[in-house]
Amino acid sequence: MNRLNEQAQGVYVIALTPFTETGELDLDSTDRMVDFYLERGATGLTVLGMMGEAQKLTIEESRTYVRRILRRVDGRVPVVAGVSAAGFAQMQALTTMVMDDGAAGVMIAPPSSLRNDQQIVTYFRQAAEFIGDTPFVLQDFPLVTSVTIPVSVIQAIVDEVPTCVCLKHEDWPGLSKITALRKLSDAGESRRISILCGNGGLFLPEEMARGADGAMTGFAYPEMMRDVVHFHRIGERDRAQDIFDAYLPLARYEQQPGLGLAIRKYIMARRGAIATPALRKPGGALSPADIADIERLVARQENRLKEIG
Amino acid sequence: MNRLNEQAQGVYVIALTPFTETGELDLDSTDRMVDFYLERGATGLTVLGMMGEAQKLTIEESRTYVRRILRRVDGRVPVVAGVSAAGFAQMQALTTMVMDDGAAGVMIAPPSSLRNDQQIVTYFRQAAEFIGDTPFVLQDFPLVTSVTIPVSVIQAIVDEVPTCVCLKHEDWPGLSKITALRKLSDAGESRRISILCGNGGLFLPEEMARGADGAMTGFAYPEMMRDVVHFHRIGERDRAQDIFDAYLPLARYEQQPGLGLAIRKYIMARRGAIATPALRKPGGALSPADIADIERLVARQENRLKEIG
Amino acid sequence: MNRLNEQAQGVYVIALTPFTETGELDLDSTDRMVDFYLERGATGLTVLGMMGEAQKLTIEESRTYVRRILRRVDGRVPVVAGVSAAGFAQMQALTTMVMDDGAAGVMIAPPSSLRNDQQIVTYFRQAAEFIGDTPFVLQDFPLVTSVTIPVSVIQAIVDEVPTCVCLKHEDWPGLSKITALRKLSDAGESRRISILCGNGGLFLPEEMARGADGAMTGFAYPEMMRDVVHFHRIGERDRAQDIFDAYLPLARYEQQPGLGLAIRKYIMARRGAIATPALRKPGGALSPADIADIERLVARQENRLKEIG
Amino acid sequence: MNRLNEQAQGVYVIALTPFTETGELDLDSTDRMVDFYLERGATGLTVLGMMGEAQKLTIEESRTYVRRILRRVDGRVPVVAGVSAAGFAQMQALTTMVMDDGAAGVMIAPPSSLRNDQQIVTYFRQAAEFIGDTPFVLQDFPLVTSVTIPVSVIQAIVDEVPTCVCLKHEDWPGLSKITALRKLSDAGESRRISILCGNGGLFLPEEMARGADGAMTGFAYPEMMRDVVHFHRIGERDRAQDIFDAYLPLARYEQQPGLGLAIRKYIMARRGAIATPALRKPGGALSPADIADIERLVARQENRLKEIG
């Protein structure tokens, strides 16, 4: 049985939610996308995340979508589901639903109303009570949540809540936070949990060097993350960085607030991973100039990858 | 058939969601509460609002609760349901659910991500497309949503979206906004919609004088709102204000951010409208000093009401 | 020598900044206003606060204004000056300026960028280093600063920073915060500092009952605050509340965000304390309907005060 | 006479404020830094910007610093000064000060309190009244100001306020905004103003392609911006992008919120442009791991620049 734990590593791809041109769930594309991710090195998938248009689905659609993902994955890698919700009862219901269907764990981001250390610790303690023994990922994403979680608070949560097994690190970029957390666990002062990094992978080489275990993000070229993690692991840090640098111009372009998801879907459709780049309303739309930018960056990226071999 | 329209007036009470001590929906109290509100002058009810702990319910619980309300109301007054949601699909599903069950309309607040005029108009136009011909209340509550909606934007929404039939006014207090909207509709430059005021009723006499049609808020003494609206209607403005002033010390106390709902539930339980003041987690809890404050204010209020006859 | 300390009590009025109709500092009105406040019970004055239009003054004007205030006060009561600034060097320069001119202490609000406990404590520790031995008031006003300061953080600041002698309490209303702080100091676990309450005085009776030492706010009827504090002190709590209730309808009206300062200046001009209600741009302007509201509330207030004797 | 106008182009470097190790203004380094920027292609300088630690200076220090800059520049390029302030009187005083000393224009960012279109237009109209005929740059930086300015509002400001001559574009990245503005001015529907781009230069090639006139940002390698602008101008877009890509890994690292300025100062000190990387409190400090990251990225950057010739 796949159950998320402190050893999570590699590349947990934040999965897209494919739609048809008319805005329906595209389940065939969902299958194809799962294969695409796994063939390119995903060691896990994360669904219903902020960049997965989760908030645009009804509960019934969420269930249909997650079940389809789980069936296609068929136990090959663990699947984590975002269950952040306005209330604990909803979070609990969503957790029960996805865990019953075979998910490996859930992911929880703090609500933006939290404003001090004690509120944050209390929130995660209460959330953990509601979801029982389900292992969870603590999503630390201040740019979106506007909640800043200091190292001491993460440590307090890890100490008090044994089901917190992983940190989705996207305190932008917060390299020193990784360093501090690893120092604490190396010194035996805190349980060592998995740290997987977000932010579109834009700081992945440096994050790996600080002690991260991998990536949890959705850049349309998962092979970049796979290779950076791999070459870092085997000590070839320059090789890791060469590959990263080749993808960086496009990764940077994809990481634009507001437009990023439309760009990501465009590339995924272009690569054949999904049938169409359609977003559900409200969603950004690419202009011809945007598409020209992407095509140019993709062509340059391919050239550069050939150059570095 | 009760269907919300531009003639809505009087007192639409924002209904509580009663829970048992163990955190379950308390459906018997729900019945009792409905009777309590209607006996004290409610001309409508609003459920699943921000102060109704709606966000703490699962979808199934929301349905159970709304159905119970609707059955007890049994067509005596219109019932409006809050359907604000992170995505349009959820909003649509929730709207279909409550309207099928007999609600008169829905209420929609803008998401806090909206940052300029065009975004706000577009949001409500798209929302209206998703909910079809369902009449809706536009909730204008900047203190909570952090979205400030200028008069020109409200006018644009009213002009473009015929299903927008009511404004829940709680731009704090925004008396000039009521004046401006009424000037526009009186001059025939904009459709006249209903304006019902929130903010715990703290500005109700002045709001009525500016042209509001009533209140939509949840102060634990609905009779205050009923009387203020009534005496204002029949031209006895001083009488309206005398009654208002008698309730004001407690109304002010109830309107405390963070603690307000716990105070409201305490009073409602004290008045026999619900069995227990329990809130679902996370929720504020009253200290003995808080309760002493309330008891003192209630006693003084009763004296003052006797004095003014 | 008047130097602010932990024994501060009574009514520290947040002073207006009077302007002429053409937007110049009105220094004659400044004198008159000082007399007005002192004759109505002010035991201290606070200048350059958020409601004093401090941010609309140049440095030179701030100096001119503060000097005029200090000369007129002439040592009769302590004067506190707001020195919140974007940087510590400015805060230091402003502090030196006002203290050299004879102020009793300064007031500091946290910048809205602070997002966790340690950041808040560090900020006040650094601020205290910059202003040397100057006693200061910690302004706790989450509604405006969006910084929520838990009791434990206030305690940490009080423990680490001996020059923190007073809390301007306007965590809305945060009665339990006063209770908790007093419990700590009564138990000898924390130094007892002065607690003076803001929020336009809207919760003053309850705040006094929880252990506050008085008010620090700018309601245009300082005699309300004086009397509430006085009668509470001598144990006549009902009398205190009767007086409070008589002023409450107007105090509530004055406390409107956006428009509050214009209302306050209108009343102060009406009472003869300043020559004209002019605000510097950008500033709210009262409509005829607003003025009619105020006149009505003032007339009712006078009647009610007569009734209660 | 250098006076900022709609033809501004090239690279306006956001200048650092150099301090000594003990936190004093370092005026010798200020001279050296000016030479450094001008030798590497600056066609203008912008001082007292958000990344210039302007908010940490007293008024007197601001004056001393700006005068030193202006004396060293000695008319070779135009100098723009940030004058964003909490009030118009301060903005006016600061503008008078820097313009009297020889600045070419000023830069104004909207205060975060602005929440709708009309408020934004009104703010800039009033600001322009206060600063008279001084030409100004409109800083559009939502990530920091949290004010989102739609194209129609920029157009309204350009139409109503003739002294608005330049847009500092850092709506992240808002490429479509540049496209829309250029379409309007190309069609003769709006005055064409200069567009200079910020965001650390992270989108400069694409911004140039959309019609920007250059950069206004402070990346520690101004030659990157110079070359990208130059090669784009002469039609060698691939060459521009090759150079950009070589600098991108470091530019990305420098653009970290919270730590970015410390990184920039470290590189500038390393390059000999300033004596020491000291920041005034409060300011981020680099760890040994951060410095190792930078050294690694600099070395790789130098190699890559050699490769592309």
Side-chain angles (χ1 to χ4, degrees), chain A residues 172-173 175 202 206 210 237-238 241-242 245 249 252-253 256-257 289-290 293 296 300 304, chain D residues 172-173 175 202 206 210 237-238 241-242 245 249 252-253 256-257 289-290 293 296 300 304:
Chain A
W172 192 25
L175 296 171
L202 284 187
E206 289 85 3
R210 301 291 178 109
R237 201 170 158 192
D238 272 310
Q241 191 100 32
D242 286 343
D245 288 358
R252 160 205 65 119
Y253 197 85
Q256 298 177 53
D290 296 331
D293 281 345
R296 213 166 157 276
R300 287 180 56 89
R304 184 65 190 144
Chain D
W172 195 25
L175 295 170
L202 285 186
E206 289 85 2
R210 300 293 178 108
R237 200 170 160 191
D238 271 311
Q241 189 101 31
D242 287 344
D245 288 358
R252 158 206 65 119
Y253 197 85
Q256 297 178 52
D290 297 331
D293 282 346
R296 211 164 160 278
R300 287 180 56 90
R304 184 65 190 142

Short mmCIF file of all heavy atoms in Angstrom, two decimals, chain A residues 172-173 175 202 206 210 237-238 241-242 245 249 252-253 256-257 289-290 293 296 300 304, chain D residues 172-173 175 202 206 210 237-238 241-242 245 249 252-253 256-257 289-290 293 296 300 304:
data_model
loop_
_atom_site.label_atom_id
_atom_site.label_comp_id
_atom_site.label_asym_id
_atom_site.label_seq_id
_atom_site.Cartn_x
_atom_site.Cartn_y
_atom_site.Cartn_z
N TRP A 172 8.98 31.77 -0.87
CA TRP A 172 9.68 32.17 -2.07
C TRP A 172 11.01 32.82 -1.83
O TRP A 172 11.01 33.99 -1.50
CB TRP A 172 8.77 33.10 -2.84
CG TRP A 172 9.23 33.34 -4.19
CD1 TRP A 172 10.01 32.55 -4.96
CD2 TRP A 172 8.94 34.50 -4.96
NE1 TRP A 172 10.22 33.13 -6.16
CE2 TRP A 172 9.57 34.34 -6.20
CE3 TRP A 172 8.20 35.66 -4.72
CZ2 TRP A 172 9.49 35.29 -7.19
CZ3 TRP A 172 8.13 36.59 -5.71
CH2 TRP A 172 8.77 36.40 -6.94
N PRO A 173 12.11 32.21 -2.15
CA PRO A 173 12.31 30.78 -2.22
C PRO A 173 12.67 30.22 -0.86
O PRO A 173 12.61 29.03 -0.66
CB PRO A 173 13.49 30.64 -3.18
CG PRO A 173 14.27 31.87 -2.94
CD PRO A 173 13.33 32.94 -2.48
N LEU A 175 15.38 29.57 0.82
CA LEU A 175 16.42 28.55 0.92
C LEU A 175 16.89 28.38 2.36
O LEU A 175 17.15 27.27 2.81
CB LEU A 175 17.59 28.94 0.01
CG LEU A 175 17.24 28.98 -1.48
CD1 LEU A 175 18.39 29.60 -2.27
CD2 LEU A 175 16.94 27.58 -1.98
N LEU A 202 11.67 26.82 -9.99
CA LEU A 202 12.60 27.90 -10.36
C LEU A 202 13.85 27.96 -9.48
O LEU A 202 14.80 28.66 -9.81
CB LEU A 202 11.88 29.25 -10.31
CG LEU A 202 10.94 29.56 -11.47
CD1 LEU A 202 10.45 30.99 -11.38
CD2 LEU A 202 11.65 29.34 -12.80
N GLU A 206 19.28 24.90 -6.20
CA GLU A 206 19.71 25.42 -4.90
C GLU A 206 18.96 24.74 -3.76
O GLU A 206 19.51 24.50 -2.68
CB GLU A 206 19.49 26.93 -4.84
CG GLU A 206 20.44 27.75 -5.70
CD GLU A 206 19.98 27.87 -7.16
OE1 GLU A 206 18.88 27.37 -7.49
OE2 GLU A 206 20.72 28.48 -7.96
N ARG A 210 20.39 22.47 -0.51
CA ARG A 210 20.12 22.79 0.90
C ARG A 210 19.50 21.61 1.66
O ARG A 210 19.23 21.72 2.85
CB ARG A 210 19.16 23.98 0.98
CG ARG A 210 19.67 25.26 0.32
CD ARG A 210 20.84 25.87 1.07
NE ARG A 210 21.31 27.06 0.37
CZ ARG A 210 21.14 28.30 0.82
NH1 ARG A 210 20.55 28.50 1.98
NH2 ARG A 210 21.60 29.33 0.13
N ARG A 237 26.56 17.95 -9.74
CA ARG A 237 25.82 19.18 -9.52
C ARG A 237 25.89 20.12 -10.73
O ARG A 237 24.90 20.80 -11.05
CB ARG A 237 26.40 19.88 -8.29
CG ARG A 237 25.43 20.85 -7.71
CD ARG A 237 25.85 21.37 -6.37
NE ARG A 237 25.17 22.62 -6.14
CZ ARG A 237 25.45 23.49 -5.19
NH1 ARG A 237 26.44 23.23 -4.35
NH2 ARG A 237 24.77 24.61 -5.06
N ASP A 238 27.01 20.13 -11.42
CA ASP A 238 27.11 21.01 -12.59
C ASP A 238 26.22 20.51 -13.72
O ASP A 238 25.58 21.30 -14.42
CB ASP A 238 28.57 21.13 -13.05
CG ASP A 238 29.27 22.28 -12.32
OD1 ASP A 238 28.71 23.39 -12.30
OD2 ASP A 238 30.35 22.03 -11.74
N GLN A 241 22.79 21.52 -13.00
CA GLN A 241 22.57 22.94 -13.26
C GLN A 241 22.54 23.25 -14.76
O GLN A 241 21.78 24.11 -15.20
CB GLN A 241 23.66 23.76 -12.57
CG GLN A 241 23.40 25.26 -12.55
CD GLN A 241 22.84 25.76 -11.23
OE1 GLN A 241 23.16 25.21 -10.17
NE2 GLN A 241 21.99 26.77 -11.27
N ASP A 242 23.35 22.54 -15.53
CA ASP A 242 23.32 22.75 -16.98
C ASP A 242 21.92 22.46 -17.53
O ASP A 242 21.39 23.20 -18.36
CB ASP A 242 24.33 21.82 -17.68
CG ASP A 242 25.77 22.28 -17.47
OD1 ASP A 242 25.99 23.45 -17.08
OD2 ASP A 242 26.69 21.47 -17.68
N ASP A 245 19.47 25.11 -16.38
CA ASP A 245 19.63 26.37 -17.11
C ASP A 245 18.99 26.32 -18.50
O ASP A 245 18.47 27.33 -18.99
CB ASP A 245 21.12 26.73 -17.25
CG ASP A 245 21.73 27.18 -15.93
OD1 ASP A 245 21.00 27.26 -14.92
OD2 ASP A 245 22.96 27.43 -15.89
N PRO A 249 14.65 29.52 -19.12
CA PRO A 249 13.89 30.59 -19.80
C PRO A 249 12.41 30.25 -19.95
O PRO A 249 11.55 31.12 -19.73
CB PRO A 249 14.60 30.70 -21.16
CG PRO A 249 16.01 30.27 -20.87
CD PRO A 249 15.87 29.15 -19.87
N ARG A 252 10.68 30.05 -16.33
CA ARG A 252 10.41 31.42 -15.90
C ARG A 252 9.16 31.97 -16.58
O ARG A 252 8.29 32.55 -15.94
CB ARG A 252 11.62 32.28 -16.29
CG ARG A 252 11.40 33.77 -16.37
CD ARG A 252 12.43 34.39 -17.33
NE ARG A 252 12.21 33.89 -18.68
CZ ARG A 252 11.91 34.65 -19.75
NH1 ARG A 252 11.83 35.94 -19.63
NH2 ARG A 252 11.70 34.10 -20.93
N TYR A 253 9.04 31.73 -17.88
CA TYR A 253 7.89 32.25 -18.61
C TYR A 253 6.59 31.61 -18.12
O TYR A 253 5.55 32.26 -18.02
CB TYR A 253 8.08 32.03 -20.11
CG TYR A 253 7.17 32.87 -20.97
CD1 TYR A 253 7.53 34.17 -21.33
CD2 TYR A 253 5.95 32.38 -21.43
CE1 TYR A 253 6.70 34.96 -22.12
CE2 TYR A 253 5.11 33.17 -22.21
CZ TYR A 253 5.49 34.45 -22.56
OH TYR A 253 4.67 35.24 -23.33
N GLN A 256 4.39 32.82 -14.73
CA GLN A 256 3.74 34.12 -14.62
C GLN A 256 2.41 34.04 -13.89
O GLN A 256 1.52 33.32 -14.32
CB GLN A 256 3.46 34.71 -16.01
CG GLN A 256 4.68 34.97 -16.84
CD GLN A 256 4.31 35.49 -18.23
OE1 GLN A 256 3.57 36.45 -18.35
NE2 GLN A 256 4.81 34.81 -19.25
N PRO A 257 2.26 34.82 -12.81
CA PRO A 257 0.96 34.82 -12.12
C PRO A 257 -0.15 35.21 -13.08
O PRO A 257 0.03 36.10 -13.91
CB PRO A 257 1.14 35.90 -11.05
CG PRO A 257 2.61 36.03 -10.86
CD PRO A 257 3.22 35.72 -12.19
N ALA A 289 0.59 36.69 -29.47
CA ALA A 289 1.94 37.09 -29.08
C ALA A 289 2.48 36.18 -27.97
O ALA A 289 3.67 35.84 -27.95
CB ALA A 289 1.94 38.55 -28.62
N ASP A 290 1.62 35.78 -27.06
CA ASP A 290 2.04 34.87 -26.00
C ASP A 290 2.48 33.54 -26.62
O ASP A 290 3.50 32.96 -26.24
CB ASP A 290 0.89 34.59 -25.03
CG ASP A 290 0.44 35.83 -24.27
OD1 ASP A 290 1.28 36.73 -24.04
OD2 ASP A 290 -0.75 35.91 -23.90
N ASP A 293 5.78 33.76 -28.22
CA ASP A 293 6.84 33.71 -27.19
C ASP A 293 7.15 32.26 -26.80
O ASP A 293 8.31 31.86 -26.72
CB ASP A 293 6.38 34.45 -25.92
CG ASP A 293 6.48 35.97 -26.02
OD1 ASP A 293 7.17 36.47 -26.94
OD2 ASP A 293 5.90 36.65 -25.17
N ARG A 296 8.88 30.23 -29.50
CA ARG A 296 10.27 30.64 -29.61
C ARG A 296 11.12 30.05 -28.48
O ARG A 296 12.22 29.55 -28.70
CB ARG A 296 10.30 32.18 -29.51
CG ARG A 296 11.36 32.79 -30.31
CD ARG A 296 11.16 34.29 -30.48
NE ARG A 296 12.47 34.83 -30.78
CZ ARG A 296 13.35 35.13 -29.85
NH1 ARG A 296 13.04 35.00 -28.59
NH2 ARG A 296 14.55 35.55 -30.22
N ARG A 300 14.21 27.33 -28.80
CA ARG A 300 15.53 27.61 -28.23
C ARG A 300 15.91 26.56 -27.19
O ARG A 300 17.06 26.15 -27.10
CB ARG A 300 15.53 29.00 -27.59
CG ARG A 300 15.52 30.15 -28.60
CD ARG A 300 15.53 31.51 -27.91
NE ARG A 300 16.65 31.64 -27.00
CZ ARG A 300 17.86 32.11 -27.32
NH1 ARG A 300 18.08 32.52 -28.56
NH2 ARG A 300 18.82 32.17 -26.42
N ARG A 304 19.19 24.20 -27.12
CA ARG A 304 20.14 24.24 -26.02
C ARG A 304 20.33 22.86 -25.40
O ARG A 304 21.45 22.47 -25.03
CB ARG A 304 19.64 25.23 -24.97
CG ARG A 304 20.56 25.47 -23.80
CD ARG A 304 21.88 26.11 -24.20
NE ARG A 304 22.84 26.10 -23.08
CZ ARG A 304 24.14 25.93 -23.21
NH1 ARG A 304 24.69 25.76 -24.40
NH2 ARG A 304 24.93 25.92 -22.15
N TRP D 172 3.39 41.96 -13.02
CA TRP D 172 4.20 40.77 -13.18
C TRP D 172 3.65 39.73 -14.12
O TRP D 172 2.75 39.05 -13.72
CB TRP D 172 4.40 40.19 -11.82
CG TRP D 172 5.45 39.20 -11.80
CD1 TRP D 172 6.52 39.07 -12.62
CD2 TRP D 172 5.55 38.15 -10.85
NE1 TRP D 172 7.28 38.03 -12.23
CE2 TRP D 172 6.71 37.45 -11.16
CE3 TRP D 172 4.78 37.75 -9.77
CZ2 TRP D 172 7.12 36.34 -10.41
CZ3 TRP D 172 5.18 36.66 -9.04
CH2 TRP D 172 6.35 35.96 -9.37
N PRO D 173 4.18 39.52 -15.27
CA PRO D 173 4.95 40.48 -16.04
C PRO D 173 4.05 41.32 -16.92
O PRO D 173 4.48 42.34 -17.43
CB PRO D 173 5.84 39.60 -16.90
CG PRO D 173 5.02 38.38 -17.09
CD PRO D 173 4.12 38.23 -15.91
N LEU D 175 2.81 41.20 -19.93
CA LEU D 175 3.20 41.48 -21.32
C LEU D 175 2.03 42.01 -22.12
O LEU D 175 2.18 42.90 -22.95
CB LEU D 175 3.75 40.20 -21.95
CG LEU D 175 5.05 39.69 -21.30
CD1 LEU D 175 5.39 38.31 -21.82
CD2 LEU D 175 6.19 40.67 -21.56
N LEU D 202 13.66 40.31 -15.48
CA LEU D 202 13.41 38.88 -15.74
C LEU D 202 12.59 38.60 -17.00
O LEU D 202 12.50 37.45 -17.43
CB LEU D 202 12.72 38.24 -14.53
CG LEU D 202 13.60 37.97 -13.32
CD1 LEU D 202 12.83 37.19 -12.26
CD2 LEU D 202 14.84 37.18 -13.73
N GLU D 206 11.12 39.65 -23.81
CA GLU D 206 9.73 39.62 -24.24
C GLU D 206 9.10 41.01 -24.14
O GLU D 206 8.27 41.40 -24.97
CB GLU D 206 8.93 38.62 -23.39
CG GLU D 206 9.25 37.15 -23.66
CD GLU D 206 10.45 36.64 -22.88
OE1 GLU D 206 11.03 37.42 -22.08
OE2 GLU D 206 10.83 35.46 -23.05
N ARG D 210 7.35 43.43 -27.14
CA ARG D 210 5.99 43.95 -27.07
C ARG D 210 5.92 45.47 -27.24
O ARG D 210 4.83 46.04 -27.22
CB ARG D 210 5.35 43.57 -25.72
CG ARG D 210 5.27 42.08 -25.44
CD ARG D 210 4.31 41.35 -26.38
NE ARG D 210 4.31 39.93 -26.09
CZ ARG D 210 3.30 39.28 -25.49
NH1 ARG D 210 2.21 39.92 -25.18
NH2 ARG D 210 3.40 37.99 -25.26
N ARG D 237 17.43 39.65 -32.41
CA ARG D 237 16.67 39.19 -31.26
C ARG D 237 17.27 37.93 -30.62
O ARG D 237 17.22 37.77 -29.41
CB ARG D 237 15.24 38.91 -31.72
CG ARG D 237 14.29 38.92 -30.57
CD ARG D 237 12.86 38.89 -31.01
NE ARG D 237 12.06 38.42 -29.89
CZ ARG D 237 10.81 38.06 -29.95
NH1 ARG D 237 10.17 38.14 -31.10
NH2 ARG D 237 10.17 37.64 -28.88
N ASP D 238 17.81 37.05 -31.44
CA ASP D 238 18.39 35.84 -30.87
C ASP D 238 19.65 36.14 -30.08
O ASP D 238 19.88 35.56 -29.02
CB ASP D 238 18.68 34.81 -31.97
CG ASP D 238 17.47 33.92 -32.21
OD1 ASP D 238 16.92 33.41 -31.23
OD2 ASP D 238 17.06 33.78 -33.38
N GLN D 241 18.62 37.40 -26.82
CA GLN D 241 18.15 36.34 -25.93
C GLN D 241 19.30 35.46 -25.44
O GLN D 241 19.27 35.00 -24.28
CB GLN D 241 17.10 35.50 -26.65
CG GLN D 241 16.36 34.51 -25.76
CD GLN D 241 14.97 35.00 -25.35
OE1 GLN D 241 14.30 35.71 -26.09
NE2 GLN D 241 14.56 34.64 -24.16
N ASP D 242 20.29 35.24 -26.27
CA ASP D 242 21.45 34.46 -25.82
C ASP D 242 22.11 35.13 -24.62
O ASP D 242 22.46 34.47 -23.63
CB ASP D 242 22.49 34.34 -26.95
CG ASP D 242 22.03 33.37 -28.04
OD1 ASP D 242 21.09 32.58 -27.79
OD2 ASP D 242 22.61 33.41 -29.14
N ASP D 245 19.84 34.87 -21.56
CA ASP D 245 19.84 33.53 -20.97
C ASP D 245 21.09 33.28 -20.13
O ASP D 245 21.05 32.56 -19.13
CB ASP D 245 19.75 32.47 -22.08
CG ASP D 245 18.36 32.41 -22.71
OD1 ASP D 245 17.47 33.18 -22.27
OD2 ASP D 245 18.17 31.63 -23.66
N PRO D 249 20.16 32.77 -14.81
CA PRO D 249 20.23 32.05 -13.53
C PRO D 249 20.57 32.97 -12.35
O PRO D 249 19.97 32.86 -11.28
CB PRO D 249 21.33 31.02 -13.78
CG PRO D 249 21.27 30.77 -15.26
CD PRO D 249 20.97 32.12 -15.86
N ARG D 252 17.58 35.58 -11.76
CA ARG D 252 16.53 34.88 -11.02
C ARG D 252 16.88 34.80 -9.53
O ARG D 252 16.07 35.08 -8.66
CB ARG D 252 16.39 33.47 -11.61
CG ARG D 252 15.76 32.43 -10.71
CD ARG D 252 16.26 31.02 -11.11
NE ARG D 252 17.68 30.91 -10.85
CZ ARG D 252 18.25 30.05 -10.01
NH1 ARG D 252 17.52 29.16 -9.38
NH2 ARG D 252 19.56 30.04 -9.81
N TYR D 253 18.13 34.46 -9.25
CA TYR D 253 18.53 34.32 -7.84
C TYR D 253 18.48 35.66 -7.12
O TYR D 253 18.10 35.74 -5.95
CB TYR D 253 19.94 33.72 -7.78
CG TYR D 253 20.30 33.16 -6.42
CD1 TYR D 253 19.94 31.86 -6.07
CD2 TYR D 253 20.97 33.93 -5.47
CE1 TYR D 253 20.25 31.34 -4.82
CE2 TYR D 253 21.29 33.42 -4.22
CZ TYR D 253 20.93 32.13 -3.89
OH TYR D 253 21.22 31.61 -2.64
N GLN D 256 14.99 37.33 -5.44
CA GLN D 256 14.26 36.72 -4.33
C GLN D 256 13.70 37.77 -3.38
O GLN D 256 14.45 38.56 -2.83
CB GLN D 256 15.20 35.82 -3.51
CG GLN D 256 15.76 34.64 -4.26
CD GLN D 256 16.70 33.84 -3.39
OE1 GLN D 256 16.35 33.45 -2.29
NE2 GLN D 256 17.91 33.61 -3.88
N PRO D 257 12.38 37.74 -3.14
CA PRO D 257 11.81 38.69 -2.19
C PRO D 257 12.48 38.51 -0.82
O PRO D 257 12.76 37.40 -0.41
CB PRO D 257 10.34 38.28 -2.11
CG PRO D 257 10.07 37.54 -3.36
CD PRO D 257 11.36 36.87 -3.71
N ALA D 289 25.94 29.79 2.91
CA ALA D 289 25.36 29.00 1.82
C ALA D 289 24.84 29.90 0.70
O ALA D 289 24.96 29.58 -0.49
CB ALA D 289 24.24 28.11 2.36
N ASP D 290 24.26 31.05 1.07
CA ASP D 290 23.79 31.99 0.06
C ASP D 290 24.97 32.50 -0.77
O ASP D 290 24.90 32.60 -1.99
CB ASP D 290 23.10 33.20 0.72
CG ASP D 290 21.85 32.82 1.49
OD1 ASP D 290 21.19 31.83 1.12
OD2 ASP D 290 21.52 33.51 2.47
N ASP D 293 26.17 29.98 -3.16
CA ASP D 293 25.27 29.94 -4.33
C ASP D 293 25.64 31.04 -5.33
O ASP D 293 25.74 30.80 -6.54
CB ASP D 293 23.81 30.17 -3.90
CG ASP D 293 23.16 28.93 -3.29
OD1 ASP D 293 23.70 27.83 -3.43
OD2 ASP D 293 22.08 29.09 -2.67
N ARG D 296 28.97 30.52 -7.14
CA ARG D 296 28.80 29.46 -8.12
C ARG D 296 28.10 29.99 -9.38
O ARG D 296 28.51 29.70 -10.51
CB ARG D 296 27.95 28.36 -7.48
CG ARG D 296 28.27 27.01 -7.97
CD ARG D 296 27.72 25.92 -7.07
NE ARG D 296 27.70 24.73 -7.91
CZ ARG D 296 26.74 24.46 -8.75
NH1 ARG D 296 25.70 25.24 -8.83
NH2 ARG D 296 26.83 23.39 -9.52
N ARG D 300 29.66 30.35 -13.20
CA ARG D 300 28.99 29.73 -14.34
C ARG D 300 28.60 30.79 -15.38
O ARG D 300 28.71 30.56 -16.59
CB ARG D 300 27.74 28.97 -13.88
CG ARG D 300 28.05 27.68 -13.13
CD ARG D 300 26.76 26.95 -12.70
NE ARG D 300 25.89 26.70 -13.84
CZ ARG D 300 25.92 25.59 -14.58
NH1 ARG D 300 26.79 24.63 -14.30
NH2 ARG D 300 25.09 25.44 -15.59
N ARG D 304 29.63 30.94 -19.28
CA ARG D 304 28.62 30.92 -20.34
C ARG D 304 28.77 32.15 -21.25
O ARG D 304 28.61 32.03 -22.48
CB ARG D 304 27.22 30.90 -19.69
CG ARG D 304 26.07 30.80 -20.66
CD ARG D 304 26.05 29.47 -21.41
NE ARG D 304 25.07 29.50 -22.50
CZ ARG D 304 25.24 28.93 -23.68
NH1 ARG D 304 26.36 28.24 -23.95
NH2 ARG D 304 24.31 29.00 -24.61
#
